[in-house]
Amino acid sequence: MASLISRGKRTWRIQVMIDGARRSITFKGTKKDAQDLLVRIERLEGYARRGLRPSADVLDWIRDLDQDFRLKLVELGLLELGRVGGSIDDLLAYARELYSHLEPRTRTNYDQYEKSLREFFGSSRPIASVTRGDADELRRWLARPGRVDESRGYGQASVAKRIKYARQIFEIAVRKEWLSANPFAGLKVPVKVDAGKRFFVPRAVAD
């Protein structure tokens, strides 16, 4: 059972019990809108508690939500991205929050990897629909001409970094139990050895 608490100036706090813990979410709007949201959150809590997929009308409402608010519901434990048709864009946004503390250079690299994933899958592709075959195809697609310019694809190192990032964020979805399996798990990535870094190991040392 959820409760609605006025915080003044059209600001409301909705409290709900999830897994025995009281959690809350803040909403700004009219009392009627807050009451409507309260009802929907109560329904979501019921679905989450019973491990059920939300009804069609609730799913439509979820898809129409602002992404930031949808992710708040995920963080509260009211939504599972895989169960409610969470998209690639939802997963990337969630990962972005987790990695917000990273150094600017690393964040810039991650932005590039995310761009590649959006270009291949599309922002609205449900994460639950991504298969091992899709992961294989992404690896091939990244290396094809046209990715960097008209005549070149990404090099082996760049392909490997993007595949590793995809594996990393899909593993987040598995750990959060939004997905039952990681389609990128076990997918081999190309490894290019820099000839300048090769060195001779004497037989005596190798033995």
Side-chain angles (χ1 to χ4, degrees):
M1 186 71 178
S3 59
L4 182 65
I5 302 170
S6 174
R7 308 298 293 179
K9 296 183 179 180
R10 293 164 56 92
T11 301
W12 309 86
R13 176 177 293 173
I14 297 175
Q15 292 186 332
V16 59
M17 293 294 293
I18 302 173
D19 295 331
R22 186 176 297 279
R23 303 182 186 182
S24 63
I25 188 169
T26 300
F27 171 76
K28 290 188 176 182
T30 66
K31 183 176 182 178
K32 182 180 183 304
D33 288 341
Q35 289 172 332
D36 289 343
L37 179 59
L38 174 72
V39 171
R40 294 182 186 278
I41 284 180
E42 285 181 332
R43 292 181 67 185
L44 284 176
E45 188 280 328
Y47 290 126
R49 176 164 34 84
R50 290 173 288 172
L52 299 176
R53 179 182 173 85
S55 61
D57 65 307
V58 174
L59 287 175
D60 288 340
W61 171 73
I62 291 169
R63 295 187 185 106
D64 289 338
L65 288 174
D66 173 82
Q67 186 180 70
D68 289 340
F69 193 80
R70 184 163 60 243
L71 290 177
K72 287 181 182 178
L73 297 179
V74 170
E75 291 168 359
L76 283 177
L78 290 170
L79 294 181
E80 295 180 9
L81 288 183
R83 189 180 293 276
V84 300
S87 66
I88 291 291
D89 210 39
D90 289 328
L91 180 56
L92 292 176
Y94 187 81
R96 179 177 289 272
E97 288 294 320
L98 293 181
Y99 301 145
S100 60
H101 64 286
L102 296 176
E103 294 293 330
R105 182 175 180 179
T106 302
R107 182 63 261 174
T108 297
N109 289 338
Y110 280 12
D111 288 344
Q112 294 174 356
Y113 306 158
E114 290 173 5
K115 180 181 178 182
S116 293
L117 293 178
R118 286 191 176 96
E119 287 179 353
F120 179 76
F121 289 113
S123 296
S124 61
R125 172 79 178 267
I127 59 174
S129 72
V130 177
T131 66
R132 176 59 185 267
D134 292 322
D136 282 328
E137 181 56 30
L138 171 63
R139 180 178 54 184
R140 291 189 289 268
W141 178 84
L142 288 167
R144 290 174 187 160
R147 304 285 74 79
V148 178
D149 56 36
E150 291 184 0
S151 61
R152 292 185 302 151
Y154 287 110
Q156 290 183 336
S158 294
V159 171
K161 289 175 182 177
R162 284 161 172 77
I163 293 298
K164 288 178 180 178
Y165 183 73
R167 180 188 301 146
Q168 181 175 311
I169 64 170
F170 271 83
E171 188 60 30
I172 292 172
V174 172
R175 289 178 180 273
K176 298 291 289 185
E177 298 184 352
W178 299 334
L179 295 176
S180 59
N182 185 342
F184 290 88
L187 181 64
K188 294 182 179 180
V189 295
V191 177
K192 182 178 181 180
V193 178
D194 187 340
K197 294 182 179 179
R198 293 176 179 171
F199 57 92
F200 175 71
V201 179
R203 179 181 296 274
V205 175
D207 294 340

